[in-house]
Amino acid sequence: MNTWTTTSGGAVAFWHELPRNLLAGAVTALAAVPFAVAVAAGLPAWLLALTTVPPALALTGAAAMAGAVARGGAARVTQLRDVDPVLAVVLAAGATAAGVGLVSGGPAALFGAVCGAGLLLAGPSALAYGAVRGRRGLAAVRGGAILVAYRPGWAFTLFALACLGGFAAVASAGVLAVVVVPLVLTIAARQTAALLDEIDAVQARS
């Protein structure tokens, strides 16, 4: 199975559960409103950091739904409540470090860029691994990192999709986030499920 197959398969799975997927995207977008308000108001960095936690929590719930959809199951609204607080804090911390570093300039900007790239590269895989394998917290982060190392080309595909989706969401003042977030998460879950099946098959033969 190649990256095109998993990407197109994830997009098809997303389309089959479109109404609930859009609901997941809307919940995530609404959770990000306090952060957007804090940025616009120029609030202190510590307060900005706190406002990154709600959208991160919403992302873990949306990932749980995406995991079910990617495996051919039915999306359930109750899955949005299946949040992972530890993973959410890790994602929020990465986003905060990236934002503060980039705004600070100088050497800190390089650190922020590295944090941002790492978040976009490993974040979708960590969310998807947690949803598909039922792992939570640091175990999901570890599993996502292993998948990135195992098949970096696929991870960069998700990276590119996340970047393009982020640009589209920003350009549309957040409107397209309702579509982009669940779509990328479903593709990530489909890709992760395929990679895990491949790894399991290799381990079974050894």
Side-chain angles (χ1 to χ4, degrees):
M1 186 175 292
N2 55 41
T3 184
W4 166 249
T5 302
T6 56
T7 300
S8 59
V12 170
F14 165 82
W15 179 258
H16 285 167
E17 292 286 349
L18 184 61
R20 291 182 178 86
N21 279 321
L22 292 181
L23 175 61
V27 169
T28 305
L30 287 173
V33 169
F35 173 74
V37 172
V39 170
L43 297 182
W46 68 268
L47 195 53
L48 283 174
L50 290 179
T51 61
T52 61
V53 176
L57 281 170
L59 275 175
T60 62
M65 178 182 286
V69 172
R71 294 193 302 270
R76 299 191 307 275
V77 175
T78 54
Q79 290 166 325
L80 296 177
R81 298 200 301 266
D82 187 18
V83 298
D84 185 343
V86 175
L87 179 55
V89 169
V90 171
L91 295 175
T96 299
V100 171
L102 290 172
V103 170
S104 299
L110 177 60
F111 174 75
V114 171
C115 289
L119 185 64
L120 288 173
L121 188 63
S125 293
L127 286 163
Y129 181 84
V132 172
R133 268 290 199 253
R135 300 292 189 269
R136 301 177 73 82
L138 297 180
V141 175
R142 177 178 175 274
I146 290 172
L147 292 180
V148 171
Y150 179 76
R151 194 63 60 80
W154 287 25
F156 277 106
T157 297
L158 286 178
F159 177 86
L161 288 173
C163 287
L164 290 173
F167 287 135
V170 171
S172 65
V175 174
L176 288 181
V178 174
V179 176
V180 168
V181 168
L183 176 60
V184 172
L185 288 175
T186 305
I187 292 172
R190 187 77 168 213
Q191 173 179 295
T192 297
L195 284 178
L196 290 174
D197 287 344
E198 180 180 322
I199 293 171
D200 290 343
V202 170
Q203 290 177 339
R205 291 196 298 266
S206 61

